[in-house]
Amino acid sequence: MNGLGGLNKSPNGVVVGLVQLALPVIATRSDIARQAERIIGMVGKAKRGMPTLDLVVFPEYALHGLSMDTREDVLCTLDGPEVAAFRAACAEHRIWGCFSLMERNPRGNPWNSGIVISDTGELRLYYRKMHPWVPVEPWEPGDLGIPVIDGPKGVKLALIICHDGMFPEMAREAAYKGAELMLRTAGYTAPIRESWRITNQSNAFCNLMATASVCMSGSDGTFDSMGEAMFVDFDGTVLAHSTSGRADEIIAAEVRPDLAREARIHWGVENNIYQFGHRGYSAVKGGAGDCPYTYMQDLVAERYRLPWEDAVRVTDGTGSGLPAPTRRYGAPARKAGE
């Protein structure tokens, strides 16, 4: 049930529009400025075309395209003109918005960041992609965790980016912190299509949390992004799914966080987000609350190591044309001449 794509809005519903934005070609700062204007125009189009919309979501790489360009003159900052323009557009059209930017990092490689802005123009959520799509992406791994905010109509809202969604721990962390709706923005191309669908559904069902996910669409002459806007309900049911991949199409649906809250409280069978930390509560009071997972214990102790670790052949981005890094995570970058 998605309210006929958000046309019929229930009192407890949150209507979300996913923009399969046309993949741009970006080479200069002026290209960034023009693309920002396109995005601002789409914010207005979305609200005019669907007045019930509470939130409009733009995909990863919406502003920068898939160039993986790390030059200073095409990077953005939170206090820069692009974010200021996005804030003004959300306030003007009284709509929440989710946007993507490649963010300047004075300590190393740029971050692949996502932001959510309220309908009054306030920056409410700020996230840095934790799992860049290696070996291709050169972005610094995110260091802010997964923030969860009170979004439109009070929905507990989280954002992850593209490859993040292939790690079930990301969705579990978002849900553990209270998220009832998790956004996933992406620039994925067609080979990832089936994995995209499977993980969008499993991330929802395993955590009793709705997911709303969208990719860039079309070609930049080198890459072809797939579109594939997709809404999944908390029980894993697909609410809406665009398979056309049509560029600039906006796929909308109503999400019901109140029903997810109800399921999290009242479900017995398959209440997995609860049962994960209360193993076998039918046999032992309160269930087992220990951590029997070796990989979690090793990760916390910074000794994560696979049985086949020494056999792994791709361990940096050199095969994708990126220089081999020498700086350890968390260490400051050295400037030229130092």
Side-chain angles (χ1 to χ4, degrees):
M1 180 121 179
N2 65 24
L4 292 182
L7 286 172
N8 297 305
K9 190 172 184 177
S10 68
N12 296 315
V14 179
V15 179
V16 181
L18 303 176
V19 183
Q20 296 179 165
L21 194 69
L23 180 59
V25 176
I26 302 295
T28 67
R29 191 75 210 178
S30 59
D31 292 335
I32 294 284
R34 280 192 294 271
Q35 185 63 9
E37 287 299 321
R38 282 199 70 245
I39 292 169
I40 292 165
M42 291 294 288
V43 172
K45 174 188 173 183
K47 189 64 173 179
R48 291 192 302 272
M50 180 75 73
T52 58
L53 274 186
D54 296 299
L55 168 65
V56 60
V57 181
F58 290 88
E60 178 194 33
Y61 292 116
L63 186 57
H64 287 81
L66 288 174
S67 68
M68 309 298 166
D69 196 341
T70 61
R71 289 176 299 134
E72 284 286 312
D73 61 344
V74 294
L75 299 177
C76 295
T77 60
L78 289 183
D79 59 357
E82 297 81 16
V83 173
F86 296 156
R87 294 177 64 170
C90 288
E92 177 185 353
H93 297 287
R94 304 297 297 178
I95 189 171
W96 288 65
C98 176
F99 305 94
S100 166
L101 62 146
M102 302 305 123
E103 183 190 359
R104 184 175 293 111
N105 174 11
R107 302 190 303 275
N109 280 27
W111 291 293
N112 181 336
S113 299
I115 58 175
V116 173
I117 296 169
S118 77
D119 59 355
T120 60
E122 180 186 358
L123 180 63
R124 292 294 308 276
L125 185 151
Y126 170 40
Y127 170 69
R128 294 170 177 166
K129 187 176 185 177
M130 289 179 65
H131 293 276
W133 194 44
V134 292
V136 177
E137 292 184 330
W139 316 123
E140 186 86 359
D143 56 358
L144 299 178
I146 306 173
V148 175
I149 64 164
D150 291 333
K153 306 289 290 292
V155 62
K156 299 294 185 181
L157 184 69
L159 167 65
I160 65 173
I161 300 175
C162 201
H163 189 50
D164 285 336
M166 299 301 182
F167 299 88
E169 294 82 0
M170 293 291 292
R172 176 57 51 87
E173 173 74 357
Y176 185 72
K177 294 173 75 171
E180 299 154 345
L181 170 61
M182 185 180 76
L183 307 179
R184 182 186 184 187
T185 61
Y188 271 141
T189 55
I192 312 299
R193 194 182 307 276
E194 290 304 318
S195 303
W196 167 258
R197 296 172 180 177
I198 292 166
T199 51
N200 289 337
Q201 288 187 267
S202 64
N203 285 339
F205 172 68
C206 291
N207 297 291
L208 297 184
M209 170 179 67
T211 60
S213 312
V214 63
C215 290
M216 293 293 291
S217 181
S219 178
D220 62 4
T222 301
F223 300 105
D224 294 332
S225 287
M226 65 187 187
E228 286 274 337
M230 188 175 185
F231 290 89
V232 182
D233 211 353
F234 65 90
D235 61 358
T237 302
V238 177
L239 292 173
H241 183 200
S242 167
T243 57
S244 69
R246 183 166 66 86
D248 288 347
E249 184 174 8
I250 302 174
I251 309 301
E254 182 184 60
V255 175
R256 291 287 302 275
D258 60 314
L259 298 182
R261 293 172 200 141
E262 183 178 284
R264 287 174 170 182
I265 294 169
H266 294 288
W267 276 23
V269 175
E270 300 295 338
N271 191 344
N272 300 309
I273 182 65
Y274 175 80
Q275 293 165 1
F276 184 73
H278 301 81
R279 296 185 299 117
Y281 62 58
S282 295
V284 293
K285 185 176 181 179
D290 60 337
C291 179
Y293 308 102
T294 304
Y295 86 97
M296 289 185 178
Q297 297 168 1
D298 286 353
L299 195 62
V300 169
E302 297 188 21
R303 59 171 182 255
Y304 183 93
R305 184 175 177 81
L306 299 169
W308 59 92
E309 187 102 5
D310 290 337
V312 175
R313 290 292 173 259
V314 181
T315 59
D316 60 30
T318 53
S320 298
L322 300 174
T326 57
R327 177 177 54 91
R328 292 285 182 181
Y329 180 68
R334 292 172 65 90
K335 296 181 180 179
E338 292 183 340

